[in-house]
Structures are given as C-alpha cells and as structure tokens.
Amino acid sequence: MGQAKRRGTYEERKKAAIKQAKALIVEKMGDRDERLMEVLRRALAPFFALMTKEEWQARRSHILEALKRPLEPIPLEKAKPLRIRDDEIGWYLFLCEQIMKDPLCVEISQAQRILPFFAGIGERWEYSAKVAGLDRKIQEVLTKYKSEPDGVIFEILVALAYAAKGWDVELIEEAPPAKSPDMVVRKDGVELFIECKRLDRRTDYAEKERNHFLRLWDIAKHVLIANKQWVWLKAIFHSEVSKLQDDFLASILEKTLPIGNGEQTLCDNADVTIYARPIDRRAVQQHIENFMVKEPSPMLNHLLGGDWAPDNSEVSVIYLAQRGTMIGCEAPVLSTYVEKIDWACGITRTYDSEVSINKKARDITKLLSKAVEQVPEDRPSIIHVAAETLEGREVELRRTEKVMEKIPTFVTDRPVLGIRFHRFQSHSRTDKLYEFDETVEKFQIDDVRLPDIPSRVVVPDHVELVNGRHWEIYD
C-alpha cells in the first residue's frame, strides 16, 4: 500500500500508463524528429513567455471546449474546416504543442500547414537579439491580431531572415493614422525600409467554388448512399460550378450507377468529365487491420482513393465505419481512428474552367500599391509579398504570367529597390509529419545589387535550393 502511494494515486498512475503506451506507439511509428521538436520548442518559447501559465491554460481550455462542442447539423456547403477562428494564434500554438507532447491527438491537416512557419521561426531564433521590438510584435499577435495572425507571423519571419543575414533589424511600432513600413534594417552603413504584405490563404472565389461544389455533393450523396457501391469518382469541372443546377451531380449518378469492374467514364461534356472506378474494399480492410488510420487524414483519403486522391488534392468522402478514440486525449475529435469500414465512396475534384483559373490567380499589383504607400518617399526600401499556393498548378502558372507581366513594369514614385514574392506550399503528406516549399520570385531595379536580401524566410538557409518553381517540379 505504501509503495503504491509513493508511485502516486490511482489516477496519476493511470495517466502515466496511458502516456507511456502512447509514447510506445509513436516510437513504433518512427516519425518523431527530435531535432524538429527542439526547433519547435525554440519557436514556442517566446510566445509562451509573454503569457502567464494561467493565461495560456485559459486559452487552451477555450480551444478544448470548442473542439468538444457538438457539431450542429448544417449543410455541407456551410461547413468550415476544423479551426478555432476567434483565437487562431492560440490554435496554432496548441497544434505545435500537441505535436510535441501528444502527437496522436492532433488535427493533422491543420498541423501540416502551420508547423513549417513555426519551424522557420525556431530555425533562425538564435538571431532574435538583432531584432529590436520583437517581443512587442509577438505580444501584438497574441492579442491585437490573435484572430488574424498570418500577416504578423510573416513579418516576424522576414525580420529574423534579415537578422540571419547580418542586418540589425528594428520593427517599427504602428502609429495610425500615419503610415509606416514594418521595419528598418541596417548593415555596413546601408539602411533599408522593409514592408511586408501577405495574401489571404485562399481567394474568396476559391471558397465560394468549394461551397458550390459541396452543395452539389450534399444532394448527390443520397444517391451514393442508396446505391451502396464502393466507388471512387474523379471529376474535372470545365464550367463554373456556381452555374450548375443543384441536382447536377446527383442526376448524373442516378443514371450511371452502379458501375461494373474497372475504370469508366460516367460523363464527358462541356460542363464536366467524371470518371469512376470501384474501391478495392479488401485492400482497404486489410490496411485498417494492420495500421492505425486517423479520421480525417491524407492517409484515409489515399487509402480509399488511391492514385486518384493524391497528396494536396481536393477530396470529399462519405462512409459508414466503426471508430475508436485514443484513450487519454483531451478532445476526442482530435483522436478518432477508423477501426472498420462497412461502406465508402468519395470524389476528387479539379477545375479547369478558364474563369475559375483566372479568378483564383490573383494579381498582386494592388497589394504592392498598398505596400508602396507604407514606405518612405525618399528612402530606399524592399517589399516582401507572400501567398500560399493552395489552388494548384494551373492557377500558379496563370498567376506567374500575371506577375511576370506586371511587376517588371510596376512604376512607383518612391525608391523601391526590389520586390520579393514568396509563394508557400504546406503539403498534405501521408508518409511524413510535414513537407514545405518556398518559391521566391525576385524583382529589382537594374544595376542595383542586393546580395544580402533574404531570398527565403521560412525554409532554413542550410537547405539546398532547387531550381524551378515547386508547382512545376511536383506536377
């Protein structure tokens, strides 16, 4: 009895046993990178240092309560990805903390997006002493910009990238209504003013396009459920989805399902091309018997869709399944695993409509014009612009056309020496914790040498560069 008490109470020993069992599972998975864990710890430390333990626990409790809240029955097109939007910076910190402390209980797709940015901060944190005003900027993102942190995180990354190149960096405090750049950097008698702008992660058009598709899918899923065939669909929309009737997809499936063996073309016209093939249910069940499959996850999509559901693809699935949750997870929604699937179907969608591609390939000249308004009229400056390449190869090729056409002729009455356009891609991967690409387009005034301007701000400097834009290399 005395021995048991020295080891702790029953609840304490139970928690310790669960923690040990989960650690063993993670060890057998073999994907824990201790160097990355240390990099993340360095990145999180300055954020947590500006909150008391009680403040962080309150914010963390708010996140957990939101995750535990029952989902309201709403149409698919109105559903939102799992995010804590009123404290998104807290959500980011929570995801990073979970990856380090409880990796079996995490929203993996959201984590794969945000981890690279914090890893980028951690990789260059050793240069933070050269950045004046950094604590103030982190305090701002924890409070003033807590629901929209991405722009400030980009500023922090840019500041640390300049510091890593040997510049002394001063983050300039905002003083509305006066306009000012984000920072000034100094090195060897050279002084440059820096302005940072970041596009939203997705265009409004892309969000509307997604919602219009989900409206079609919400109606079509009743046909699929009634049919009960294990089938995967691949759809290429040639016209705007918003122009299609609500029952457009359902009508096609009613006429063509069930299908026979092998790949088949269900529809091929001016609006859409749809292919279908049976899912190998035996292979799915065998995989689930041998491996843990998280719900939702890129692995589950790939398991059902195979090469028709590649990494980064836009996928929707419906299935009847037996599920289990990881013991000891504070929010069960973060630790749901599929134990058996009784029936499944899904669809991968792409859009090659000229209107769709053009509207999603946003030009950045308007954002540049706003950036120019922030920099001094008579002092040399550099502008850094960032965008996430979430909408695919064709969109980025079109965006590149627009950028290459307009930026070289972008005229300003202020001495802007150069522009750096950073394009980020956080990949959804089934075989690694995360993978990230940063492609940078460089534009500068003729005969002006800018050798120490950072060419990347997220990817560490020790990583070898590869020629070519990442959306062209992979696709």
Side-chain angles (χ1 to χ4, degrees):
M1 187 69 176
Q3 183 68 25
K5 285 184 178 180
R6 282 196 293 271
R7 294 202 309 267
T9 66
Y10 170 77
E11 285 301 323
E12 289 171 340
R13 285 181 283 126
K14 180 180 175 181
K15 288 181 180 179
I18 292 171
K19 184 177 180 180
Q20 185 178 12
K22 288 163 74 174
L24 183 60
I25 293 173
V26 172
E27 182 182 339
K28 290 192 174 185
M29 290 168 63
D31 62 354
R32 186 172 176 85
D33 184 336
E34 290 302 332
R35 183 186 179 279
L36 173 60
M37 297 302 109
E38 178 55 36
V39 168
L40 289 176
R41 277 190 283 271
R42 287 202 299 268
L44 296 186
F47 290 83
F48 288 138
L50 293 176
M51 293 183 282
T52 65
K53 289 183 179 180
E54 291 74 19
E55 286 172 335
W56 171 238
Q57 284 305 314
R59 294 176 80 155
R60 194 173 185 279
S61 295
H62 168 73
I63 291 168
L64 289 171
E65 287 170 9
L67 293 172
K68 293 174 183 177
R69 198 172 298 137
L71 297 176
E72 297 179 6
I74 58 174
L76 277 177
E77 68 268 21
K78 295 182 180 179
K80 300 294 183 183
L82 184 62
R83 287 164 57 189
I84 311 301
R85 294 169 185 266
D86 62 346
D87 187 9
E88 191 138 35
I89 186 61
W91 173 235
Y92 290 173
L93 296 173
F94 175 83
L95 289 170
C96 292
E97 188 180 60
Q98 288 295 102
I99 284 292
M100 292 188 297
K101 295 183 177 180
D102 199 358
L104 297 178
C105 300
V106 68
E107 210 297 315
I108 192 63
S109 61
Q110 292 284 318
Q112 287 182 328
R113 174 185 172 265
I114 197 57
L115 283 173
F117 297 108
F118 280 87
I121 292 172
E123 289 282 3
R124 295 182 177 89
W125 191 254
E126 62 184 291
Y127 305 102
S128 60
K130 294 179 70 66
V131 183
L134 193 50
D135 279 356
R136 185 190 72 247
K137 185 62 65 174
I138 293 174
Q139 187 66 48
E140 286 179 2
V141 80
L142 287 171
T143 53
K144 184 178 180 180
Y145 299 103
K146 68 177 185 176
S147 62
E148 296 181 331
D150 290 353
V152 183
I153 289 174
F154 181 52
E155 291 175 31
I156 292 169
L157 286 162
V158 171
L160 290 171
Y162 273 92
K165 290 290 186 181
W167 296 85
D168 291 313
V169 182
E170 179 186 346
L171 290 164
I172 299 172
E173 190 167 2
E174 296 177 1
K179 295 182 178 181
S180 62
D182 293 311
M183 65 194 81
V184 57
V185 299
R186 302 178 179 92
K187 180 180 178 182
D188 299 331
V190 176
E191 181 180 76
L192 298 172
F193 289 85
I194 312 299
E195 175 65 16
C196 305
K197 294 292 185 186
R198 179 166 177 167
L199 291 167
D200 294 336
R201 66 178 76 178
R202 291 175 69 90
T203 62
D204 288 341
Y205 183 87
E207 287 295 319
K208 291 177 182 177
E209 185 177 62
R210 167 189 175 272
N211 293 342
H212 284 305
F213 168 79
L214 291 177
R215 171 173 49 84
L216 304 184
W217 181 248
D218 205 18
I219 296 172
K221 71 180 184 180
H222 300 293
V223 179
L224 292 161
I225 292 170
N227 186 68
K228 281 295 189 299
Q229 184 176 23
W230 288 63
V231 63
W232 194 271
L233 309 170
K234 180 169 64 173
I236 305 101
F237 288 93
H238 312 308
S239 62
E240 288 190 273
V241 183
S242 61
K243 308 299 184 187
L244 303 176
Q245 295 293 322
D246 288 359
D247 64 347
F248 175 81
L249 184 56
S251 296
I252 293 172
L253 297 180
E254 281 180 340
K255 296 172 184 176
T256 54
L257 295 181
I259 63 170
N261 294 327
E263 179 182 325
Q264 297 183 32
T265 303
L266 302 188
C267 181
D268 188 8
N269 58 34
D271 291 319
V272 70
T273 301
I274 302 178
Y275 304 100
R277 71 183 183 192
I279 296 172
D280 187 345
R281 60 186 301 178
R282 181 175 296 179
V284 170
Q285 303 294 24
Q286 185 174 5
H287 183 96
I288 291 175
E289 288 174 6
N290 294 323
F291 301 98
M292 296 174 64
V293 179
K294 203 167 189 303
E295 177 195 50
S297 69
M299 174 55 74
L300 180 58
N301 296 340
H302 188 67
L303 178 62
L304 297 174
D307 60 354
W308 282 13
D311 293 341
N312 297 336
S313 56
E314 292 192 71
V315 166
S316 295
V317 296
I318 52 175
Y319 48 91
L320 299 175
Q322 296 177 23
R323 299 167 175 85
T325 56
M326 186 66 60
I327 295 174
C329 185
E330 295 170 284
V333 70
L334 299 180
S335 66
T336 303
Y337 291 81
V338 177
E339 297 179 341
K340 181 183 177 183
I341 296 180
D342 297 312
W343 166 78
C345 70
I347 187 169
T348 304
R349 61 189 182 273
T350 56
Y351 311 91
D352 63 7
S353 154
E354 181 66 19
V355 174
S356 173
I357 292 171
N358 198 52
K359 287 187 175 180
K360 287 186 287 190
R362 287 179 296 185
D363 184 13
I364 64 169
T365 51
K366 288 184 179 179
L367 202 62
L368 281 176
S369 297
K370 292 181 179 180
V372 170
E373 293 175 1
Q374 302 292 128
V375 299
E377 296 180 358
D378 56 352
R379 311 290 285 278
S381 59
I382 304 289
I383 295 172
H384 290 261
V385 180
E388 294 187 61
T389 59
L390 301 177
E391 288 146 7
R393 179 178 184 272
E394 296 305 319
V395 170
E396 292 310 318
L397 289 173
R398 180 63 53 81
R399 196 199 310 265
T400 299
E401 289 176 8
K402 292 181 179 181
V403 168
M404 300 306 289
E405 176 187 355
K406 294 189 176 181
I407 290 189
T409 59
F410 184 75
V411 178
T412 171
D413 58 356
R414 305 187 186 197
V416 177
L417 302 184
I419 298 166
R420 296 291 183 267
F421 184 23
H422 306 259
R423 281 191 266 186
F424 303 141
Q425 177 73 60
S426 297
H427 299 281
S428 295
R429 295 300 191 219
T430 59
D431 59 345
K432 57 188 71 174
L433 182 56
Y434 75 80
E435 185 172 87
F436 184 86
D437 283 299
E438 178 178 5
T439 292
V440 185
E441 308 280 1
K442 302 178 184 179
F443 305 91
Q444 57 199 60
I445 294 177
D446 294 340
D447 302 323
V448 173
R449 292 184 69 253
L450 300 171
D452 291 329
I453 302 304
S455 60
R456 43 186 161 165
V457 299
V458 179
V459 173
D461 292 327
H462 62 76
V463 174
E464 185 178 353
L465 288 172
V466 176
N467 289 326
R469 302 177 177 102
H470 61 261
W471 53 90
E472 297 173 326
I473 293 171
Y474 290 114
D475 296 322

